[in-house]
């Protein structure tokens, strides 16, 4: 039987995935409802959480590492369920990990400095990577960047232990698409 501590990464990862699957991201913002789009929304929320938990030591650091391991394991499982062959999965996981770390670098720097234009461009480039810069992609990226900045500020006020237990308060993404808070 799992100890409470052993279940915590699952609760936290479930909370991240649940927020990443909010319909507003796909319907209102136009994030592609595809493997790549869902991956990007999970990564955005994981980055927000990892940013908040950076610097944690001891057991909290171990639990943060367990969260990352669970994330990668879930990506592996998802690829296998989609029928990706055993020989190809490690290569795809490596690319996903590289994508994660690239986004982590781009997003955290912009979040730390509250640089809205920089974050907006990083989100547009990653979530809407279609080479052309459409007005709808710019608008959606702006709303997502405002959402991410607000979410980061909210997470900064939440206790690390509470977050690690999977009790996270994220803002409502619909508030940022309508321009009410953007």
């Amino acid at each position: 039987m799992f100890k409470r501590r052993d279940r915590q990464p699952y609760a936290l990862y479930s909370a991240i995935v649940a927020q990443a699957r909010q319909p507003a991201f796909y319907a209102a913002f136009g994030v592609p409802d595809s493997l790549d789009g869902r991956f990007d929304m999970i990564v955005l929320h994981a980055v927000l959480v990892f940013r908040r938990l950076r610097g944690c030591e001891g057991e909290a650091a171990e639990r943060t590492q367990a969260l990352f391991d669970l994330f990668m394991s879930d990506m592996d499982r998802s690829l296998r369920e989609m029928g990706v062959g055993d020989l190809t999965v490690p290569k795809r996981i490596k690319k996903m990990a590289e994508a994660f770390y690239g986004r982590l670098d781009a997003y955290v720097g912009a979040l730390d400095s509250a640089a809205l234009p920089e974050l907006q461009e990083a989100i547009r480039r990653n979530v809407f990577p279609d080479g052309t810069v459409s007005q709808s992609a710019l608008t959606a990226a702006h709303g997502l960047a405002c959402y991410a900045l607000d979410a980061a500020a909210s997470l900064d006020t939440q206790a690390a232990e509470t977050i690690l237990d999977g009790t996270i308060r994220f803002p409502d993404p619909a508030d940022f698409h309508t321009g009410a808070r953007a």
Side-chain angles (χ1 to χ4, degrees), residues 82-142:
M82 291 173 24
V84 175
D86 287 342
L87 296 176
T88 307
V89 169
K91 293 174 190 169
R92 296 277 300 268
I93 290 296
K94 181 179 178 186
K95 285 183 180 182
M96 292 172 112
E98 289 169 355
F100 172 81
Y101 284 116
R103 285 158 175 77
L104 180 76
D105 286 343
Y107 296 165
V108 167
L111 289 164
D112 284 347
S113 62
L116 179 61
E118 184 181 319
L119 183 58
Q120 177 181 336
E121 176 53 24
I123 288 172
R124 191 222 37 92
R125 186 176 57 248
N126 289 306
V127 178
F128 308 102
D130 69 353
T132 63
V133 182
S134 69
Q135 188 58 45
S136 64
L138 289 173
T139 300
H142 176 79

Side-chain angles (χ1 to χ4, degrees), residues 47-107:
V47 164
L48 288 164
V49 169
F50 285 121
R51 177 190 166 274
R52 168 58 185 90
L53 297 175
R54 73 178 164 203
C56 288
E57 296 179 356
E59 185 180 319
E62 291 173 19
R63 289 166 39 199
T64 301
Q65 180 62 51
L67 172 65
F68 180 78
D69 295 345
L70 180 59
F71 168 63
M72 288 285 99
S73 176
D74 187 45
M75 295 300 110
D76 182 284
R77 181 195 51 76
S78 294
L79 289 171
R80 291 177 193 281
E81 284 180 0
M82 291 173 24
V84 175
D86 287 342
L87 296 176
T88 307
V89 169
K91 293 174 190 169
R92 296 277 300 268
I93 290 296
K94 181 179 178 186
K95 285 183 180 182
M96 292 172 112
E98 289 169 355
F100 172 81
Y101 284 116
R103 285 158 175 77
L104 180 76
D105 286 343
Y107 296 165

Side-chain angles (χ1 to χ4, degrees), residues 21-42:
R21 289 186 176 165
Q22 291 293 312
F25 293 121
Y26 307 95
F29 288 101
V31 172
D33 192 3
S34 63
L35 177 66
D36 289 338
R38 288 178 180 258
F39 173 78
D40 273 310
M41 289 299 93
I42 292 171

Side-chain angles (χ1 to χ4, degrees), residues 13-34 37-45 48 127 144 147 151 168-177:
Y13 186 65
S14 294
I16 289 168
V17 171
Q19 184 67 16
R21 289 186 176 165
Q22 291 293 312
F25 293 121
Y26 307 95
F29 288 101
V31 172
D33 192 3
S34 63
R38 288 178 180 258
F39 173 78
D40 273 310
M41 289 299 93
I42 292 171
V43 168
L44 176 63
H45 290 88
L48 288 164
V127 178
L144 286 170
Y147 164 83
I168 307 174
R169 292 179 320 277
F170 285 108
D172 183 349
D175 289 348
F176 296 87
H177 176 69

